[in-house]
Amino acid sequence: MCKPQKSGILVLEKQNLMNKTKILVTGGLGFIGSHTVVELIQSGLEPIIVDDLSNSELFILDRIEQITGSRPKFYPYDVCDSDKLKTVFSENKNIKACIHFAAKKAVGESMKIPLVYYRTNLVSLLNVLETMKEFNADCFVFSSSATVYGQPEHLPANESSPLQKATSSYGSTKQMAEDILEKVSATGSLKTLSLRYFNPVGAHQSALIGELPKGIPNNLMPFVTQTAIGIREKLTVFGNDYNTPDGTCIRDYIHVVDLAKAHVNACNYLLTHADSISYDVFNIGTGKGISVLEIVSAFEEVNKVKVPYIIGSRRDGDVESIYASCSKANQILKWEAQYTLEDMVKDAWNWEKAYRKHTK
Ligand code: WQD
């Protein structure tokens, strides 16, 4: 905050900046991480980013500054490097909380290189937890996933739905991480909220940040936008013989900005309920199940662009249908998804077009 003084010189109220609550955001330049950093800044918190740029790009930091007017501290470090992590904590006294995004997250890839997934996703988690303990930071928001449910017996999936055996190495790293967090939090040294995301899609309305898949996209929405813009010749729909209304798989797609806001609410909840929380999990979705073909037709209709597709065979590891019950997050985190399917496909398309212009 700046106050004009008699001399007319603006004096920055240092104590104002100094008092902002510091939140470590690992993977903070990634798809969900960057959107969460924007929302943290805009809600008056001070994110500190650690990101090794293995699945993100440095220009996103400039874009965060462009959107918010503030440039968060950034460390180009691998969270698997405990010495580097200690440097971040020692250079930023009083980091209160951590939102941990840094992990590998492609279901299909995880089946091809499981050891890389177990090492990266578990060592990074353990490093962060051990360093937080050393520096007395005890609030932790974990990026979990609906994958932990497998194919639920009953829908919508709620947080007490039994977890089926994960169908991918990616999913089992999330199940193992949740188990580690629950056990560590039970000692009283950590307060943790695990957020089980459903399917994050879309982009910031400014079209300055969005999803940046490296190589051929694993996920549906970036494949749709890259097909629509002509980078991919056609989309392959992985199976239309499921027991669903149009035969294609059903998911709970959630706008990435809604998901980012859920992290801010989760952080604030931890910071204001430190004495009454140990470990808890929350579904973060919309509660609506949408099929692959419904995504394609909504995208074509809203954006007035064709998405050529063929029907291919089923993809290993896919569950037939999953969508969330989010009443727990609605009530406790005071969070509810606001963006519609139309917003998701429009914002995803605007980002794709803007990004291609930027890379020309
Ligand atoms: C969605 C649907 C595919 C691509 C995973 C993780 C989850 C989260 C999102 C991290 C499925 C179909 C896809 C394509 C297709 N990860 N599809 N053709 O597998 O539901 O979830 O990614 O945040 O934790 O589990 O997402 O987008 O890969 O697939 O038909 O080219 O689209 O079969 O039915 P998924 P997805």
Side-chain angles (χ1 to χ4, degrees), residues 107 145 147 170 199 218-220 236-238 249 251 315 318:
V107 173
S145 166
T147 321
Y170 163 77
N199 287 58
N218 287 291
N219 296 129
L220 176 64
T236 301
V237 174
F238 295 141
C249 291
R251 295 289 183 274
R315 180 174 70 174
D318 271 340

Side-chain angles (χ1 to χ4, degrees), residues 109-239:
E109 184 188 52
S110 79
M111 302 304 279
K112 298 186 184 97
I113 50 172
L115 282 178
V116 172
Y117 269 69
Y118 287 115
R119 166 167 289 282
T120 305
N121 291 5
L122 297 177
V123 169
S124 58
L125 173 69
L126 295 173
N127 260 358
V128 171
L129 296 180
E130 286 164 349
T131 312
M132 283 179 70
K133 190 171 169 62
E134 186 178 334
F135 288 86
N136 301 315
D138 61 358
C139 294
F140 192 76
V141 178
F142 177 60
S143 162
S144 191
S145 166
T147 321
V148 301
Y149 291 112
Q151 176 59 67
E153 282 164 27
H154 304 290
L155 288 172
N158 65 52
E159 290 83 352
S160 49
S161 298
L163 305 189
Q164 310 292 336
K165 184 172 166 45
T167 54
S168 69
S169 311
Y170 163 77
S172 65
T173 68
K174 293 296 182 184
Q175 286 181 342
M176 292 160 90
E178 284 198 3
D179 185 52
I180 290 166
L181 288 164
E182 190 169 14
K183 302 285 193 302
V184 173
S185 301
T187 68
S189 65
L190 192 71
K191 297 118 174 69
T192 301
L193 300 185
S194 284
L195 304 187
R196 291 174 179 169
Y197 311 160
F198 282 70
N199 287 58
V201 294
H204 193 266
Q205 286 72 16
S206 64
L208 288 171
I209 55 176
E211 196 162 4
L212 276 172
K214 302 238 173 184
I216 300 174
N218 287 291
N219 296 129
L220 176 64
M221 190 62 85
F223 209 108
V224 165
T225 58
Q226 289 189 14
T227 303
I229 207 159
I231 292 173
R232 309 285 163 205
E233 187 200 339
K234 61 185 177 304
L235 167 73
T236 301
V237 174
F238 295 141

Side-chain angles (χ1 to χ4, degrees), residues 23-41:
I23 313 287
L24 177 72
V25 183
T26 71
L29 290 186
F31 176 36
I32 306 167
S34 56
H35 287 81
T36 301
V37 164
V38 164
E39 297 304 324
L40 287 168
I41 292 170

